[in-house]
Amino acid sequence: GIQVEQSPPDLILQEGANSTLRCNFSDSVNNLQWFHQNPWGQLINLFYIPSGTKQNGRLSATTVATERYSLLYISSSQTTDSGVYFCAVAYLRAGGTSYGKLTFGQGTILTVHP
Amino acid sequence: GAVVSQHPSRVICKSGTSVKIECRSLDFQATTMFWYRQFPKQSLMLMATSNEGSKATYEQGVEKDKFLINHASLTLSTLTVTSAHPEDSSFYICSATRLDRDTEAFFGQGTRLTVV
């Protein structure tokens, strides 16, 4: 199956700093999503971005599908940004039924200190 | 919006009993729902795909008889952990994609199961 690798595994920042999280995947994908898992376990949808660039406030993401990677940028980080960031991908093979069948990376644990 | 609600958020049960977890899409119809499992400090692993009106498809290594999935309507899927054991203790989370736009997946709040 498809492999998803995220880097770095851990990231510690001071409030106000910028950061870049990377997601590499081993095969062509039809769906790529970034999530933030909060301390209670809930997955918050950040971006649905199988290709191209999107921005939402202090966060932006870029996926270069031909080179099989995606980047999540966090600018002016805040303590509330702390948590685990997951990249997840889906690909449809013959007989596949849904783009929602996701394979997750191992995540990046972000800690933002005041 | 695309809201997925999961219930209960926490459950403690005794060994040998069964526990049912519900996953509902509140403001959209979902032909397909997914069940994931997450152990502490690990990533999410897909357990099964739940299709409305048909049998669920389980990932390799997931016991069908232990994790019963029913998808009776376009807004509800249930996961029943049967004859629970302490090693079944985990965080279970569901997701759904919209019937009218099967692209982005939306997740429920998750259920933390503790078997004592």
Side-chain angles (χ1 to χ4, degrees):
Chain A
I2 195 167
Q3 305 297 313
V4 183
E5 293 184 1
Q6 290 186 242
S7 60
D10 296 275
L11 186 58
I12 300 174
L13 301 173
Q14 286 296 126
E15 203 167 26
N18 302 329
S19 61
T20 300
L21 282 60
R22 187 177 179 101
C23 172
N24 292 334
F25 42 95
S26 61
D27 206 340
S28 300
V29 299
N30 309 105
N31 179 9
L32 188 147
Q33 293 184 241
W34 283 97
F35 299 93
H36 177 210
Q37 188 168 39
N38 66 23
W40 298 272
Q42 185 165 8
L43 285 174
I44 310 299
N45 286 41
L46 297 179
F47 293 102
Y48 163 72
I49 187 165
S51 64
T53 297
K54 291 186 177 179
Q55 180 157 7
N56 183 5
R58 295 182 296 103
L59 273 60
S60 64
T62 295
T63 297
V64 183
T66 53
E67 297 186 21
R68 299 179 183 170
Y69 73 89
S70 183
L71 302 174
L72 176 68
Y73 305 96
I74 304 174
S75 64
S76 303
S77 58
Q78 301 175 358
T79 56
T80 52
D81 294 332
S82 296
V84 185
Y85 288 80
F86 286 107
C87 166
V89 303
Y91 63 109
L92 281 189
R93 292 288 184 256
T97 58
S98 174
Y99 294 100
K101 185 177 179 180
L102 296 174
T103 298
F104 280 76
Q106 290 302 305
T108 292
I109 301 173
L110 175 64
T111 305
V112 182
H113 292 301
Chain B
V3 181
V4 177
S5 177
Q6 197 171 330
H7 179 79
S9 57
R10 285 182 176 271
V11 59
I12 301 173
C13 71
K14 293 184 177 180
S15 289
T17 62
S18 296
V19 173
K20 180 185 285 188
I21 302 170
E22 292 188 348
C23 179
R24 293 181 184 272
S25 54
L26 297 186
D27 54 358
F28 66 98
Q29 291 183 318
T31 186
T32 308
M33 291 183 172
F34 304 89
W35 289 94
Y36 295 81
R37 184 173 182 176
Q38 185 181 29
F39 290 107
K41 299 189 184 302
Q42 294 189 21
S43 187
L44 283 77
M45 295 295 292
L46 180 68
M47 297 174 65
T49 302
S50 173
N51 299 294
E52 188 268 336
S54 63
K55 289 184 178 180
T57 304
Y58 292 82
E59 296 300 300
Q60 191 172 8
V62 177
E63 299 176 59
K64 301 178 183 181
D65 295 333
K66 167 163 278 294
F67 300 102
L68 300 180
I69 291 172
N70 182 272
H71 194 153
S73 76
L74 289 175
T75 59
L76 174 64
S77 175
T78 61
L79 169 69
T80 301
V81 182
T82 63
S83 186
H85 291 283
E87 56 265 32
D88 298 325
S89 298
S90 188
F91 188 66
Y92 294 88
I93 190 165
C94 70
S95 73
T97 54
R98 299 174 64 104
L99 177 63
D100 58 342
R101 192 179 68 207
D102 179 33
T103 52
E104 186 174 5
F106 299 91
F107 282 79
Q109 306 95 315
T111 297
R112 194 163 302 281
L113 170 64
T114 303
V115 184
V116 297

